[in-house]
């Protein structure tokens, strides 16, 4: 789409806003003056255009610059293209590259916004929460359900929220979506089409925007536990499966035979798995003895596991499976990848896994 047709939405809405002439009248926003924010564009629907094979991320930051400036008020923006990918095509090496990029330029900015496709955004925000643990500035991921070129899109509102969160000075990795801000390692995409696509799972929202402005819940922001150090390694040998009635234990054997070092299982309810007709737990025991790190989570979106209740969970704990507790699936999986990137010693993996690294898990009692 050319510059002229992209300008149409704002003319239609009568919003001929000139960023430099926009006055900030809300005193709570004055603190955002003179803040310098970097926006890194990785693609996704926010930057999408329709091409012969369907919707693809096609706009560069230059194409979106007018809109981004419009929602940033007097905040000093720098914008950069990092990649232009549908987030289905984002892979762990991209997480590592993003973490390196953010770590490398964090000293020059008050905050960083990452524009990202929504489909795998929560995996990226979870992994960045670990790789950028204890970062001293806000890193805020956002995206949208409709392209910024669409006059009824959520794109500009989401960017506005992300940019203002990035200017807030609250350090950490966050997701801003639909006027809500959540911890990056607690966010999950729960709706495929609605603007209200993301929720904070088992954790309060960090901020909400209403007629009162952006209200930040400071008590929900995890305290930094040490000095920032980029930790961008990860293991590629991690696999994830979902439990279903009829699942065969040979699946576990095949995964172990392929050389995987870690397995995240989405089990039933509070963490149950079969051991009668097919002794799935018995096979898990063998692969754990062989050195595989196994984490058990739940298919339920909310509330997490409690594996010490039923026999189907206790048996798994007894053979050395680790528990995901109240983590999201995205956080539980990426945490395992990240820890296995540092060590494959099962005792160390367990020790690290039980630590709340970035707010992803309520402390284990
Ligand atoms: N398929 C898109 C992506 O994840 C969806 C979106 O951004 O909303 O890149």
């Amino acid at each position: 789409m050319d510059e002229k047709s992209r300008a149409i939405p704002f003319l239609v809405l009568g919003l001929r806003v000139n960023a430099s002439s926009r006055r900030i009248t809300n005193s709570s926003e004055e603190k955002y003056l003179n803040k310098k924010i970097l926006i890194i564009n990785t693609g996704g629907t926010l930057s999408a255009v329709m091409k012969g094979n369907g919707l693809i991320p096609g706009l560069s930051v230059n194409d979106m610059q007018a809109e981004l400036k419009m929602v940033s008020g007097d905040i000093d923006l720098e914008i950069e293209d990092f990649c232009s990918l549908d987030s289905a095509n984002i892979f762990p090496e991209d997480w590592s590259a993003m973490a390196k990029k953010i770590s490398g330029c964090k000293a020059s900015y008050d905050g960083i916004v990452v524009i990202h496709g929504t489909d795998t955004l929560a995996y990226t925000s979870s992994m960045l929460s670990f790789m950028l643990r204890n970062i001293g500035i806000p890193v805020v991921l956002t995206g949208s359900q409709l392209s910024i070129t669409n006059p009824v899109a959520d794109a500009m509102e989401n960017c506005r929220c992300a940019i203002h969160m990035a200017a807030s000075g609250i350090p950490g990795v966050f997701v801003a979506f639909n006027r809500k801000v959540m911890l990056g390692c607690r966010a999950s995409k729960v709706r495929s089409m609605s603007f209200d696509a993301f929720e904070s799972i088992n954790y309060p929202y960090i901020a909400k925007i209403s007629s009162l402005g952006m209200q930040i819940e400071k008590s929900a922001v995890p305290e930094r536990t040490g000095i920032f150090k980029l930790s961008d390694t990860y293991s590629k040998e991690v696999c994830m499966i979902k439990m279903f009635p009829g699942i065969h234990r040979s699946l576990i054997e095949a995964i172990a035979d392929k050389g995987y070092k870690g397995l995240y299982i989405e089990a039933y309810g509070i963490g149950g798995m079969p051991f009668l007709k097919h002794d799935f737990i018995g096979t898990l025991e063998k692969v754990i003895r062989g050195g595989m790190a196994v984490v058990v989570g739940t298919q339920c979106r909310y509330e997490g596991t409690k594996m010490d209740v039923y026999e189907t969970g206790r048996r798994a704990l007894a053979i050395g499976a680790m528990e995901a507790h109240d983590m999201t699936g995205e956080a539980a999986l990426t945490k395992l990848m990240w820890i296995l990137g540092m060590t494959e010693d099962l005792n160390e993996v367990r020790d690290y896994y039980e630590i709340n690294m970035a707010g992803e898990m309520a402390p284990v009692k």
Side-chain angles (χ1 to χ4, degrees), residues 49-65:
V49 288
M50 187 54 86
K51 286 276 164 71
N53 287 334
L55 213 52
I56 56 161
L59 302 174
S60 70
V61 285
N62 279 341
D63 298 324
M64 302 189 284
Q65 120 169 274

Side-chain angles (χ1 to χ4, degrees), residues 103-309:
S103 166
C105 63
K106 70 176 183 4
S108 311
Y109 298 95
D110 295 298
I112 296 177
V113 170
V114 179
I115 293 176
H116 195 290
T118 61
D119 291 344
T120 64
L121 190 149
Y123 290 93
T124 301
S125 62
S126 295
M127 187 54 117
L128 289 182
S129 304
F130 302 128
M131 290 181 165
L132 298 172
R133 191 170 171 234
N134 288 323
I135 192 157
I137 60 166
V139 175
V140 190
L141 287 90
T142 195
S144 66
Q145 296 280 64
L146 272 177
S147 167
I148 201 162
T149 60
N150 191 313
V152 293
D154 52 341
M156 290 180 59
E157 204 47 60
N158 290 346
C159 287
R160 189 195 317 274
C161 181
I163 291 167
H164 284 80
M165 184 62 199
S168 71
I170 306 280
V173 176
F174 306 101
V175 171
F177 219 89
N178 199 37
R179 298 184 175 169
K180 289 185 285 250
V181 179
M182 49 215 109
L183 270 193
C185 52
R186 290 288 188 165
S188 195
K189 185 172 179 181
V190 298
R191 291 180 193 86
S192 58
M193 294 182 212
S194 312
F195 287 169
D196 205 3
F198 284 84
E199 279 182 14
S200 179
I201 305 296
N202 302 330
Y203 200 78
Y205 286 91
I206 298 295
K208 288 185 181 169
I209 296 184
S210 68
S211 59
L212 300 174
M214 188 161 76
Q215 302 277 297
I216 297 177
E217 185 53 61
K218 287 205 174 131
S219 63
V221 179
E223 278 185 17
R224 290 166 72 198
T225 51
I227 294 166
F228 170 76
K229 188 173 164 292
L230 173 67
S231 175
D232 65 319
T233 53
Y234 61 91
S235 170
K236 288 183 181 151
E237 272 86 44
V238 175
C239 185
M240 169 173 168
I241 58 169
K242 181 169 182 164
M243 192 65 50
F244 60 93
I247 191 167
H248 203 282
R249 57 178 181 256
S250 59
L251 187 60
I252 301 295
E253 283 155 2
I255 290 169
D257 289 347
K258 283 274 174 206
Y260 283 96
K261 301 283 187 310
L263 174 64
Y264 173 62
I265 304 173
E266 269 196 0
Y268 303 127
I270 55 177
M273 290 185 295
F275 63 90
L276 286 179
K277 292 180 189 156
H278 288 283
D279 190 6
F280 194 87
I281 296 181
T283 308
L284 272 187
E285 181 174 14
K286 275 191 225 144
V287 300
I288 291 172
R289 280 221 197 100
M292 191 191 278
V294 173
V295 176
V296 180
T298 172
Q299 297 171 14
C300 300
R301 170 82 59 198
Y302 303 106
E303 299 176 353
T305 58
K306 189 151 179 27
M307 290 172 64
D308 60 357
V309 176

Side-chain angles (χ1 to χ4, degrees), residues 296-357:
V296 180
T298 172
Q299 297 171 14
C300 300
R301 170 82 59 198
Y302 303 106
E303 299 176 353
T305 58
K306 189 151 179 27
M307 290 172 64
D308 60 357
V309 176
Y310 294 103
E311 185 181 7
T312 52
R314 282 193 188 184
R315 277 176 179 264
L317 288 177
I319 53 124
M322 292 173 280
E323 185 167 357
H325 299 282
D326 65 338
M327 277 188 269
T328 63
E330 293 90 334
L333 175 78
T334 53
K335 187 174 179 179
L336 185 59
M337 291 168 127
W338 180 66
I339 292 172
L340 283 169
M342 295 186 279
T343 178
E344 288 181 5
D345 178 304
L346 281 194
N347 289 325
E348 285 179 8
V349 172
R350 175 182 292 280
D351 286 347
Y352 282 129
Y353 207 84
E354 286 187 350
I355 297 172
N356 171 28
M357 295 285 176

